[in-house]
Amino acid sequence: MDIFEFFSEYSYLGIFLVLIGVNTAPILMPPSWIILTSFYLLDPSLNIVILAMVGATGATLGRFFLKKISGLFRKFVGEEQKSNLDIIGDYLNRKKYGYIIASFLFGATPLPSNMLFIAYGLMRAKSASIYVGFWFGRTISYIMMIYFGDAVLRPFFELFEDRLTGILLIDGVGIGVLVVFASINWTVLITQKKLKFVKPKIWRI
């Protein structure tokens, strides 16, 4: 609460900076909607739409930095997984709305998006539509989450009395999704419409 009170003194600018920092970190950060809802409950005079747009802008910029940082670790990825990620990247590049739809779906739902942007970084995705789709998706989801703030936030905290347990669980699910994503044989799935997996060796040490 001390952190919220400190940054709330700077109004939307403080909230914007918090969202950039939280979304740049790859793991161990609470969901952004919880942060925005907490700011709103602390200061109900904030405009919900403006707050959501500021939050979405900060979150998108933070995910941009996360994707850039993740791209630096591509050299540690196993060759088979690296080739596999390039295949899905090329496939999405050929689809006119591939990236924007994928990013919008993650942005518009409570799904953890950190692993999505880590995957984008490893794929060397460069389409600007990644950020457009994510921004619109996040804006919509933030408006809904903030508007129903207390009703959504209270059950979440009751489910995870230990807040760190909830964060770790969310991150664990995200890491699991990333491993599965990188282990799918995308060549076979795209060309033959069959689901097959390659050896789940992500990192080349």
Side-chain angles (χ1 to χ4, degrees), residues 1-9 11 15 18-19 22 30-46 48 51 142 145-154 156-157 163:
M1 289 306 299
D2 290 339
I3 294 175
F4 285 124
E5 289 174 358
F6 173 79
F7 281 98
S8 66
E9 293 181 3
S11 189
I15 297 169
V18 170
L19 266 291
V22 167
S32 299
W33 64 267
I34 289 181
I35 295 174
L36 285 176
T37 301
S38 299
F39 272 118
Y40 181 72
L41 293 177
L42 188 64
D43 183 7
S45 66
L46 293 170
I48 291 179
L51 180 60
Y142 286 163
M145 289 296 189
I146 296 169
Y147 186 78
F148 295 105
D150 196 41
V152 174
L153 207 55
R154 197 176 301 278
F156 183 88
F157 287 148
R163 313 269 172 97

Side-chain angles (χ1 to χ4, degrees), residues 42-125:
L42 188 64
D43 183 7
S45 66
L46 293 170
N47 182 282
I48 291 179
V49 175
I50 294 176
L51 180 60
M53 293 175 69
V54 169
T57 304
T60 302
L61 187 56
R63 290 312 190 204
F64 169 80
F65 292 139
L66 176 60
K67 186 177 82 68
K68 289 294 184 182
I69 295 170
S70 301
L72 300 176
F73 291 90
R74 179 182 166 84
K75 60 183 177 181
F76 298 111
V77 177
E79 291 299 325
E80 193 171 12
Q81 268 72 30
K82 190 183 296 183
S83 175
N84 207 27
L85 289 169
D86 288 342
I87 289 170
I88 183 60
D90 292 339
Y91 176 78
L92 289 174
N93 279 326
R94 293 196 302 270
K95 296 294 182 179
K96 187 175 181 180
Y97 302 109
Y99 279 120
I100 195 169
I101 291 175
S103 297
F104 177 82
L105 290 176
F106 268 83
T109 63
L111 292 171
S113 61
N114 51 344
M115 295 305 159
L116 174 68
F117 280 84
I118 290 174
Y120 279 158
L122 297 176
M123 290 161 51
R124 297 183 299 190

Side-chain angles (χ1 to χ4, degrees), residues 129-149:
S129 61
I130 291 172
Y131 308 107
V132 174
F134 184 73
W135 187 88
F136 278 103
R138 272 294 183 250
T139 299
I140 293 172
S141 66
Y142 286 163
I143 290 174
M144 297 297 294
M145 289 296 189
I146 296 169
Y147 186 78
F148 295 105

